[in-house]
Amino acid sequence: MSTPVKKVPIHLQSAQNRLLIKNGKVVNDDGIIDSDVYIEDGIIRQMGRNLIIPGGTRTIDARGKYVMPGGIDPHTHFEFEFMGTKSVDDFYQGTKAAVAGGTTMIIDFVVPRKDESLVEAYERYRQSADQKVCCDYALHVAVTSWSPKVKEDMAILVKEHGVGSFKMFMAYHDMFMLRDPELIETFKACKEIGAIAMVHAENGDLIAENAKKLLAAGVTGPEGHEMSRPEEVEAEAVNRACVIANQVNCPLYIVHVMSRSAAEQVEAARKRGVCVFGETLAAAIGTDGTNYLHKCWRHAAGHVISPPLRPDTDTPRVLVNMLAKDNLQVTGSDNCTFNAEQKALGKDDFTKIPNGVNGVEDRMAVLWEKGVHAGIMDPMRFVAVTSTNAAKIFNLYPRKGVIAVGSDADIVVWDPNRKRTISAQTHVQAVDFNIFEGMEVTGVPEYVIVNGRVCVDECELKAVHGFGKYINADPFGIYVYDMINDKEKKPRGIARTEAEAKRYAEEDAA
Ligand code: URP
Ligand code: ZN
Ligand code: ZN
Ligand code: ZN
């Protein structure tokens, strides 16, 4: 009879690991230092040179490499039921691919089914994701209708379930779209409970009108997708969302800023003092809208995402510059992948092509290539826009998004000289297509450490099913709410009586 092997739970196995990363250049958003990093029980315990560490500790030599906070991708849609189908990268395959590319945390979007409450939808996502994720994750929740019950559920999610952000759609007519009065209410609710409002900014009414016209004129192919939602349709919605958020003094995060005009609206709003953050995508900086003109229908449909990639081929460079100059703050992926037969649902009508592209695996490499390798941004800014800013905005910092004593050991050891060519043939993702196909990138994650466990080891992927944890985001994060509190003004009329003047003077003195 064989002796039963005592199984050590995964989280305890990792806790037994001790790791020293030696001789690397540690990059945070605010500086680069030569430092070793000692990790125990999944936490960074010591930093510096000549550290005294226990014998038997595994050492990784990071000479000539950058040691950076693992990427945080704040925009994924794993196993998302959308447009009559379901995205093919699930929480396992999606997070595995994330880790392969140097991302150690993702934030996905709970989107409620029709007749499902926000809390029920959240529970459904947790049930599926908890057992599959290879890295830590958090959840945003989409608000796709408005009622007192929705408002109540938002508060429950924030207070009891660690949700810190809600996404509202200004597009997807007859599916998810909210109108201005509902946006105002949702933004007010977010502000009341200390959450961040997020918007998908496109004018849904104009898109519906344009699509109708195009289809009537016989334009049915993927090129109609961009034609029905041009830049100004995106830019108008960005501006409208900024104005509404500012009027109710709610922090705002614009997801997937895909065009120069939209990015300029974010830049202008920030200059006016609006508390708004802009996220662009790996897709928007790594490829462009000329792909919609491709003769191969599958190729063109493979690039369908909303808002669309832009025909102006200067857009990727403009967006990288915007990231470098802090006109935009975050790079996400909006990973939402569909195989050929799923994209084919829109073979005769571009409005039926499931919207979404890949990016979770290649986001870091694409931005390194187009940003750092191209000489447009330095490694510190790369860290800011791939990790630290998301951690700050979604109140995960300094647990995530920084290499510091006490932070989670989510680390990527980045080789800035090694090259690889992106391809669907070799990628980890489940999807059968890659929008970055054939792109040569310089910069590869040689080691990826997730909560202290080496999950990419000398470029070999060793991600572990179910190893990740759900991370709570607390409300009223200081990085955004300090600004909101500073801007908060009690409405005040003209003091026409002595009593009013006295009351205002007392309030001013307080
Ligand atoms: O095309 C996209 N972006 N698909 C995912 C859903 C969304 O709007 O983010
Ligand atoms: Zn969206
Ligand atoms: Zn083809
Ligand atoms: Zn999305």
Side-chain angles (χ1 to χ4, degrees):
M1 221 175 80
S2 63
T3 333
V5 179
K6 198 168 166 219
K7 264 190 131 180
V8 181
I10 285 166
H11 65 283
L12 290 181
Q13 285 174 29
S14 83
Q16 287 158 5
N17 287 350
R18 287 192 294 260
L19 194 63
L20 178 68
I21 306 171
K22 259 181 101 67
N23 305 321
K25 288 203 175 302
V26 173
V27 187
N28 279 317
D29 68 331
D30 58 354
I32 304 184
I33 54 166
D34 290 319
S35 177
D36 301 341
V37 180
Y38 174 63
I39 296 158
E40 206 177 288
D41 300 335
I43 305 286
I44 299 171
R45 302 285 178 186
Q46 296 185 60
M47 289 179 65
R49 288 290 196 226
N50 307 312
L51 302 176
I52 297 168
I53 53 154
T57 298
R58 178 176 174 191
T59 300
I60 286 175
D61 186 10
R63 192 176 298 278
K65 317 280 158 63
Y66 290 114
V67 179
M68 305 189 289
I72 299 173
D73 185 344
H75 193 153
T76 64
H77 299 276
F78 297 143
E79 52 196 71
F80 176 27
E81 295 168 10
F82 184 45
M83 298 183 76
T85 186
K86 189 177 189 177
S87 61
V88 292
D89 281 303
D90 69 358
F91 278 97
Y92 171 60
Q93 206 72 28
T95 54
K96 187 174 169 185
V99 170
T103 289
T104 54
M105 179 168 179
I106 61 103
I107 315 183
D108 205 90
F109 289 84
V110 171
V111 183
R113 291 173 179 152
K114 268 208 172 342
D115 305 322
E116 188 180 40
S117 78
L118 297 194
V119 174
E120 285 163 353
Y122 162 87
E123 298 287 5
R124 172 167 60 89
Y125 273 71
R126 283 295 306 273
Q127 223 162 56
S128 185
D130 279 356
Q131 49 181 323
K132 294 184 190 165
V133 284
C134 301
C135 65
D136 286 354
Y137 80 107
L139 292 169
H140 315 289
V141 174
V143 176
T144 56
S145 65
W146 185 246
S147 68
K149 163 83 173 131
V150 168
K151 185 173 179 192
E152 228 170 81
D153 271 17
M154 287 171 75
I156 292 169
L157 288 167
V158 167
K159 289 191 189 120
E160 296 171 24
H161 299 291
V163 171
S165 36
F166 295 91
K167 177 177 177 183
M168 278 64 75
F169 294 87
M170 300 168 82
Y172 300 125
H173 213 254
D174 301 331
M175 204 182 343
F176 304 141
M177 187 172 120
L178 298 186
R179 300 194 168 277
D180 288 1
E182 296 160 328
L183 288 176
I184 295 170
E185 292 307 319
T186 52
F187 285 16
K188 277 163 54 187
C190 283
K191 192 255 178 92
E192 216 173 287
I193 55 183
I196 316 290
M198 311 171 81
V199 286
H200 175 129
E202 287 184 293
N203 186 316
D205 286 322
L206 286 174
I207 293 166
E209 183 63 25
N210 292 341
K212 208 164 54 182
K213 252 198 276 177
L214 285 158
L215 289 170
V219 180
T220 59
E223 62 283 6
H225 178 69
E226 202 284 332
M227 290 160 79
S228 68
R229 38 214 318 158
E231 287 204 27
E232 69 174 4
V233 168
E234 183 188 4
E236 181 277 329
V238 170
N239 181 53
R240 183 156 38 100
C242 288
V243 172
I244 295 173
N246 197 41
Q247 288 298 309
V248 303
N249 196 22
C250 170
L252 178 65
Y253 181 97
I254 314 271
V255 298
H256 46 46
V257 174
M258 299 297 279
S259 62
R260 177 202 289 258
S261 333
E264 283 169 354
Q265 292 297 335
V266 176
E267 179 187 1
R270 286 174 63 82
K271 290 205 168 119
R272 300 196 300 271
V274 179
C275 182
V276 59
F277 306 95
E279 168 204 89
T280 191
L281 303 183
I285 61 178
T287 185
D288 63 54
T290 57
N291 288 289
Y292 299 128
L293 311 180
H294 203 279
K295 285 281 192 287
C296 168
W297 188 93
R298 197 275 175 264
H299 179 101
H303 290 78
V304 165
I305 175 176
S306 293
L309 299 164
R310 299 303 175 187
D312 176 356
T313 53
D314 210 21
T315 305
R317 192 191 56 81
V318 168
L319 293 174
V320 175
N321 267 301
M322 293 284 217
L323 281 169
K325 293 190 183 133
D326 200 32
N327 296 326
L328 295 172
Q329 289 66 45
V330 176
T331 314
S333 71
D334 198 3
N335 196 94
C336 185
T337 46
F338 299 102
N339 281 340
E341 71 273 16
Q342 295 172 296
K343 289 280 182 183
L345 290 168
K347 199 79 181 100
D348 305 315
D349 176 349
F350 64 84
T351 66
K352 296 192 166 63
I353 300 170
N355 288 195
V357 298
N358 62 289
V360 73
E361 185 170 344
D362 301 316
R363 178 183 69 110
M364 303 276 280
V366 167
L367 185 63
W368 187 274
E369 177 67 23
K370 302 288 179 184
V372 184
H373 192 63
I376 300 175
M377 68 173 65
D378 61 31
M380 293 178 286
R381 187 66 193 160
F382 173 83
V383 165
V385 301
T386 55
S387 179
T388 314
N389 288 353
K392 288 178 176 170
I393 294 166
F394 297 110
N395 207 16
L396 309 163
Y397 187 88
R399 177 172 180 182
K400 304 286 187 189
V402 61
I403 303 218
V405 171
S407 295
D408 283 359
D410 283 350
I411 296 174
V412 55
V413 177
W414 192 263
D415 183 342
N417 298 313
R418 196 189 286 238
K419 294 180 193 297
R420 76 180 175 101
T421 301
I422 299 175
S423 174
Q425 303 302 311
T426 49
H427 72 199
V428 175
Q429 296 197 229
V431 68
D432 61 5
F433 188 82
N434 193 312
I435 54 168
F436 310 116
E437 188 70 39
M439 184 191 293
E440 186 183 76
V441 291
T442 307
V444 165
E446 190 178 1
Y447 297 92
V448 180
I449 294 139
V450 181
N451 276 310
R453 174 186 276 263
V454 183
C455 288
V456 172
D457 197 343
E458 288 184 52
C459 299
E460 190 193 332
L461 183 58
K462 297 177 173 173
V464 181
H465 190 279
F467 179 60
K469 301 179 300 300
Y470 178 73
I471 304 288
N472 287 298
D474 289 337
F476 295 108
I478 52 163
Y479 184 72
V480 290
Y481 268 88
D482 258 12
M483 182 169 178
I484 293 297
N485 293 337
D486 284 350
K487 280 157 58 93
E488 190 67 18
K489 280 193 262 112
K490 200 168 160 201
R492 186 181 266 194
I494 298 295
R496 294 197 172 86
T497 65
E498 252 178 52
E500 281 168 344
K502 189 163 166 260
R503 178 156 60 86
Y504 290 163
E506 277 166 8
E507 276 174 14
D508 285 343

